[in-house]
Amino acid sequence: MTKGEITRNRIISEAAPLFNKHGFDGCSMQEISVATGLEKASLYGHFATKEELAGEAFRYAWKQSCSARMGNLGDVANSVDKLKLHIENLASKQAFPGGCPLWNTATDTDDGNSVLRSMAKEALRDWISALNQIIEEGQSKGEIGADVDPEGLSTLIISLMEGAFITSQLQESGRVLRVAQQHLNAYIESQVRTRPQANETL
């Protein structure tokens, strides 16, 4: 890796929490200059525009979030248990400094920046797709009921946990995340996990 690439990556990693906490309009290149110790001219030597840097910062923040939320799912074999572990991660692990990059970016760009909003939409599609894959694999292995709608379940998990996260921030309490986790786990055990037929237990 060249010196320029190292500097570019450092700028991204140090700018990402600032954009995530303050939003695109609330984060100035001057703030990033102070955080990185680099002149603004140097920043623009690596990124043509603030929007380009914000896009790379979002990609970085989202990658870190995904690692925290999904990086250990390979530790369990059963697909239902993978879903429950993912929910546990969502309830217990901080996504990224300043909160969930997906939610923050979607909210921040609700009435503006179409490029960042498109990136947030793509990230959501990728998240849903990753959960769909777990569910479909579980169905092929007989661990998850064939009548379960993969995209419907994926969307339910994401929507409930993201909503609970926002509520927990406003209430300054993690209790609502645990309540959401408990309800999702109960639903998954009763409606998603397959149960042995009576003649299979004899």
Side-chain angles (χ1 to χ4, degrees), residues 35-198:
T36 60
L38 298 171
E39 297 293 333
K40 283 198 289 184
S42 180
L43 297 178
Y44 282 114
H46 291 277
F47 303 93
T49 64
K50 176 184 172 182
E51 186 176 75
E52 180 186 350
L53 174 54
E56 292 300 324
F58 172 75
R59 287 192 181 94
Y60 175 86
W62 184 241
K63 182 177 180 181
Q64 296 296 313
S65 298
C66 290
S67 178
R69 292 167 163 180
M70 306 191 79
N72 62 347
L73 300 191
D75 294 345
V76 294
N78 187 282
S79 299
V80 174
D81 295 331
K82 286 182 190 290
L83 294 176
K84 293 177 69 175
L85 179 57
H86 181 51
I87 293 167
E88 167 65 26
N89 291 339
L90 290 167
S92 63
K93 295 183 178 182
Q94 182 180 22
F96 194 75
C100 176
L102 177 60
W103 171 264
N104 288 345
T105 301
T107 303
D108 183 48
T109 61
D110 188 45
D111 58 355
N113 203 307
S114 60
V115 173
L116 286 174
R117 188 163 183 80
S118 294
M119 293 176 68
K121 287 181 177 180
E122 181 179 358
L124 177 59
R125 286 194 296 268
D126 289 345
W127 189 1
I128 292 173
S129 178
L131 293 184
N132 286 352
Q133 185 174 348
I134 293 172
I135 296 165
E136 289 166 359
E137 180 181 348
Q139 289 175 320
S140 69
K141 293 162 63 177
E143 298 165 349
I144 292 177
D147 59 339
V148 172
D149 172 22
E151 186 159 352
L153 178 56
S154 298
T155 303
L156 174 65
I157 292 171
I158 293 170
S159 300
L160 184 54
M161 294 307 296
E162 285 287 278
F165 181 76
I166 299 306
T167 305
S168 73
Q169 285 189 315
L170 293 173
Q171 293 183 345
E172 298 182 351
S173 170
R175 181 178 179 274
V176 67
L177 282 165
R178 289 301 178 186
V179 170
Q181 179 185 10
Q182 290 168 7
H183 280 280
L184 276 175
N185 284 347
Y187 175 80
I188 286 171
E189 289 296 341
S190 64
Q191 303 296 323
V192 175
R193 190 191 294 272
T194 56
R195 297 296 179 189
Q197 299 297 318

